[in-house]
Amino acid sequence: MDRQRRQNIPVVASWRGVLAMCIFMFHFGFKQWFCQLTWCGVVFFFVSSRFLVTVHHRGEKLTWRDCLPFWFRRAVKLYPAHWLAMLMFVLLAVRNGTFVAKLWPLTVNLLLLQTFVPVQECFFSYNVLSWFLSALLLCYAAYPLLARFWSQARLGTLWCVVAVLLCANVVAIHFAVAEEMKNYLYVCPLARLGEFALGMTLGETWGRTGTKASRCGARWLEMGAWGSLVVFIVIHRCFSSALEWYDATVLWWIPAGALMWTMAACNGVEGPVGRLLLTKPLRFLGKISFELYLYQAIAPMALSVTLLPLLYHFTGITLGHHNAWFVTISVLCQIALSWGLHKWAVTPYWRWCSQRVSRRGTVVQKV
């Protein structure tokens, strides 16, 4: 399999799109239905991102001079998209009368440093979903510094590192008593290092072993990976109300890692689930998954300040967030908004950056 084929795993994008919609519905209020896939989705985003970056850059000897272009490519990808979401959020909040300007939270949020501040009014401020991008900053900053060690160390050593970070995560969550500290551990970049390490280790393991499933074997491999996801969903639903350890994100490392490995190994010979994810509707969701996640608070806010007041004014009808019509319209508006931003804002911007940066010998990658 050539390098380009190994880097392009379209099933991953489709699954990201599905998970982004699940996270949208979870934050919309359907917590009982989409809770488990939301937890798994966040872990999978981190793991798959590190996996793809590791595969993309595997074999490259990143020097100190290569770090600045690497960091620059990631910065021009994250910051403008974040600032656009921030601007839209603030304008809608002002229109709705809910905007509260505080200098310190606003500053760290604009710099995407909110998750480095262990204060809830900072790390959960404004467009809350941007905490994910803030946590990615540490990953992107550390990757060029860790890539050489990951490429030279034994696989056994790398998996020991993953195990140590997993145990450290469990211990930290166990001793976190205050609710604010538990919330911070969820968004803290250092607490996400385990998922970064898992993604990089999976990428190195897959790159060195060259695992490639046969068409027949892909069915069994898919069955095992998706079966593990179902098992962990059942465990989570059964014990989440009785035990405290359920909210440890490490619970989802196994199914997220298994799914990432399966998608890579079955790339090109997908089984039934993989072929379903490669259908046009799900590939469309995958194409706009970044926008679906980052801008998911925008569409409901826009409807709340436009449709709901007009509907109440002319008909006297009040639609709650769990009303079927409001949910349906919000989902359609969210998909339309994400597609529009992807087509008319994000993609043209990345294309423009690629043309400008390529003159200096580098290219902006959407990884």
Side-chain angles (χ1 to χ4, degrees):
M1 182 184 300
D2 58 19
R3 181 181 176 85
Q4 183 64 29
R5 176 67 178 278
R6 290 173 67 86
Q7 294 173 5
N8 183 27
I9 308 175
V11 177
V12 174
S14 298
W15 182 232
R16 280 176 166 178
V18 172
L19 292 173
M21 285 304 301
C22 291
I23 293 172
F24 171 75
M25 297 303 295
F26 173 82
H27 288 124
F28 206 84
F30 297 90
K31 298 183 182 296
Q32 183 175 0
W33 293 2
F34 297 97
C35 178
Q36 290 74 33
L37 284 177
T38 297
W39 281 81
C40 182
V42 173
V43 174
F44 184 81
F45 289 162
F46 282 116
V47 172
S48 62
S49 179
R50 293 311 89 224
F51 182 95
L52 295 175
V53 169
T54 301
V55 171
H56 177 79
H57 291 282
R58 190 173 182 275
E60 298 179 5
K61 295 182 178 180
L62 293 175
T63 64
W64 286 102
R65 294 185 62 183
D66 298 323
C67 290
L68 288 178
F70 179 88
W71 291 328
F72 177 76
R73 291 195 297 270
R74 268 61 196 180
V76 299
K77 170 189 172 183
L78 297 184
Y79 277 99
H82 164 61
W83 290 333
L84 178 59
M86 183 77 169
L87 176 62
M88 297 172 69
F89 181 90
V90 169
L91 291 176
L92 288 169
V94 170
R95 176 65 179 81
N96 201 30
T98 58
F99 177 72
V100 179
K102 294 185 178 181
L103 181 60
W104 177 239
L106 182 62
T107 302
V108 295
N109 206 297
L110 287 172
L111 296 175
L112 269 181
L113 298 177
Q114 66 268 36
T115 56
F116 295 86
V117 181
V119 179
Q120 187 154 321
E121 71 169 358
C122 285
F123 61 77
F124 277 164
S125 59
Y126 302 103
N127 184 27
V128 176
L129 279 303
S130 62
W131 75 263
F132 178 82
L133 304 186
S134 180
L136 277 180
L137 280 182
L138 179 63
C139 173
Y140 287 149
Y143 176 78
L145 310 178
L146 298 175
R148 179 169 296 183
F149 170 76
W150 245 260
S151 63
Q152 295 177 355
R154 296 175 179 271
L155 290 179
T157 302
L158 298 180
W159 283 106
C160 286
V161 171
V162 173
V164 169
L165 291 173
L166 184 151
C167 293
N169 201 321
V170 172
V171 171
I173 291 175
H174 176 75
F175 285 101
V177 178
E179 188 66 25
E180 182 172 341
M181 181 54 63
K182 289 184 178 181
N183 290 335
Y184 182 64
L185 285 175
Y186 184 74
V187 303
C188 178
L190 291 177
R192 295 289 176 174
L193 283 177
E195 291 150 18
F196 300 157
L198 175 59
M200 292 176 65
T201 302
L202 282 171
E204 275 296 325
T205 304
W206 185 63
R208 296 185 196 183
T209 59
T211 303
K212 183 70 169 64
S214 63
R215 187 167 297 277
C216 180
R219 296 181 181 180
W220 293 100
L221 194 57
E222 272 195 356
M223 187 182 300
W226 293 101
S228 73
L229 176 61
V230 173
V231 168
F232 277 86
I233 288 175
V234 172
I235 293 174
H236 190 283
R237 292 184 68 89
C238 291
F239 296 100
S240 59
S241 60
L243 301 174
E244 294 184 357
W245 56 263
Y246 84 96
D247 61 357
T249 56
V250 294
L251 177 68
W252 301 99
W253 287 17
I254 294 176
L259 285 176
M260 186 63 249
W261 180 272
T262 299
M263 291 176 183
C266 299
N267 189 28
V269 289
E270 290 80 6
V273 179
R275 290 195 294 272
L276 175 64
L277 288 171
L278 290 178
T279 56
K280 287 186 177 181
L282 296 185
R283 295 193 72 165
F284 171 74
L285 287 182
K287 183 184 295 185
I288 62 174
S289 59
F290 179 77
E291 293 80 13
L292 281 173
Y293 178 85
L294 184 58
Y295 299 96
Q296 63 181 269
I298 307 300
M301 288 182 66
L303 290 175
S304 295
V305 301
T306 56
L307 176 65
L308 295 189
L310 287 174
L311 184 65
Y312 178 77
H313 177 76
F314 289 106
T315 66
I317 298 175
T318 301
L319 294 182
H321 278 201
H322 285 77
N323 181 275
W325 284 106
F326 184 75
V327 172
T328 302
I329 295 172
S330 296
V331 170
L332 294 176
C333 287
Q334 176 64 24
I335 294 175
L337 173 67
S338 300
W339 175 81
L341 290 171
H342 176 82
K343 183 176 179 63
W344 303 111
V346 177
T347 299
Y349 167 75
W350 280 340
R351 188 180 297 117
W352 177 81
C353 287
S354 296
Q355 293 172 353
R356 292 290 298 269
V357 179
S358 60
R359 297 174 186 174
R360 302 179 183 180
T362 56
V363 179
V364 176
Q365 297 287 344
K366 185 182 178 181
V367 177

